[in-house]
Amino acid sequence: MSQSTNPNRDKIAQLIASKKKHLKQLTADVLFEQIIGGSIQALSETITLLESKNNSDYLKAQDIIKKVIPYASKSIRIGITGVPGVGKSTFIESFGNFLTEKGHKVAVLAIDPSSEKSRGSILGDKTRMANLAANPNAYIRPTASSGSLGGVAQKTRESVLLCEAAGFDVILIETVGVGQSEIAVHSMTDFFLLLMLAGAGDELQGIKRGIMEMADSILISKADGENVKYANIARLDYKNALHLFPANANNWIPKVETLSSLENHGVEKIWNIITDFKQMTTENRHFDYKRNEQQKFWMNESLKERILTDFYSNANYIKHKQNIESQLDKGEITSFQAAELLYNITYKK
Ligand code: GDP
């Protein structure tokens, strides 16, 4: 039966459309009230406004974000990374369901720099976590994939605040184990979790050392069936490897565990690790210190983005760029001289 000849489906589509229209007409004040009242529709609508290319939508979202700040922060923000196929979404599903059973409210966000290209490996839709998506105490927001990493990261950070204001006390931010996105996610979370596969002999090859150094815990995934023994070997290898890294300023020693999301093994253990981490870093004040440092980091990132946009849209820069590039092509000046010239011309120095 085609869509237009199915009266039920038409009715549902009409209902959804009228609800969306109704939400769009709500003022920033009303959306704010609804968000702090726990409305997922108002939360979703505000994140949509935040991601909108329409400036007045964006400004409305900013207005709401300003209002929610005092209500946001009572949460634990957890970053989750690992190469595609390592088992992130399966883990998030069992971890998310485990947490909601313990009375938590769980929001899942993602930063996926690859989704703009053809790889699309994260949260393209909710079918990856269908079970968790249907859980009334969980909220899954597919990745905002357009724009620069800095822009996407800013929106994700602001979405975190909105989710917290709506009562979500565990925020999971997923990313893939490639590129700069780990640094972005690490810089907006309290605890950083790396999922790794047990390989035969090449356990330390899969992921860059820098990402391992950022991890507060490494989980060796798919530790079930035949794979258990390889997972245990990998666990010891990573444990030994982590000893070689410099100690963390917060005194935390990263923990390495095995995990089977399918058999629900390790899921409770990782929550205990995160709880211990929160307790320890709260006591030694590193929890708040890190959040404050992160705020300053993102302030500087926003400033950099603003300065770059300002520079590249400056009329002087646009007018002289080609000429200076052609001098560079002819070997008349060096790259550094070209940059100096362009900078001085742009700002008329
Ligand atoms: P992601 O790309 O990192 O999100 O990985 P997925 O969660 O989509 O998992 C990739 C594949 O690994 C799927 O076929 C899963 O069924 C499988 N998988 C995930 N977790 C486990 C696990 O704990 N044990 C086993 N045996 N397979 C798993």
Side-chain angles (χ1 to χ4, degrees), residues 216-249:
D216 295 303
S217 179
I218 294 180
L219 293 182
I220 316 298
S221 66
K222 308 189 192 182
D224 41 52
E226 285 283 289
N227 217 19
V228 172
K229 60 177 183 284
Y230 300 114
N232 284 330
I233 294 169
R235 177 171 173 263
L236 287 179
D237 283 346
Y238 285 120
K239 238 180 138 170
N240 291 334
L242 289 185
H243 276 302
L244 304 175
F245 293 156
N248 285 318

Side-chain angles (χ1 to χ4, degrees), residues 92-102 106 131-132 135 138:
I92 290 172
E93 183 145 84
S94 54
F95 191 48
N97 284 320
F98 164 82
L99 291 171
T100 60
E101 271 167 33
K102 284 180 83 76
V106 180
N131 193 326
L132 188 61
N135 185 324

Side-chain angles (χ1 to χ4, degrees), residues 83-90 128 174 222 224 259-262:
V83 292
V86 71
K88 293 181 296 299
S89 53
T90 314
R128 281 172 76 230
E174 183 188 5
K222 308 189 192 182
D224 41 52
L259 162 81
S260 168
S261 308
L262 290 190

Side-chain angles (χ1 to χ4, degrees), residues 273-319:
I273 288 174
I274 294 170
T275 318
D276 287 350
F277 173 89
K278 187 166 184 191
Q279 193 184 344
M280 178 176 163
T281 54
T282 303
E283 278 167 15
N284 69 20
R285 304 213 177 147
H286 261 271
F287 193 87
D288 286 339
Y289 171 77
K290 189 169 167 189
R291 283 203 177 181
N292 289 343
E293 289 299 298
Q294 289 177 340
Q295 306 243 61
K296 281 179 253 168
F297 171 82
W298 289 106
M299 179 189 81
N300 283 321
E301 287 300 296
S302 301
L303 200 54
K304 273 192 239 167
E305 193 133 321
R306 183 81 198 262
I307 292 168
L308 281 180
T309 311
D310 187 63
F311 184 85
Y312 289 126
S313 57
N314 185 299
N316 290 334
Y317 167 81
I318 294 166
K319 189 169 155 203

Side-chain angles (χ1 to χ4, degrees), residues 30-46:
V30 174
L31 281 169
F32 159 70
E33 290 292 342
Q34 292 193 353
I35 287 173
I36 60 167
S39 160
I40 294 212
Q41 277 112 331
L43 171 66
S44 274
E45 171 62 14
T46 307

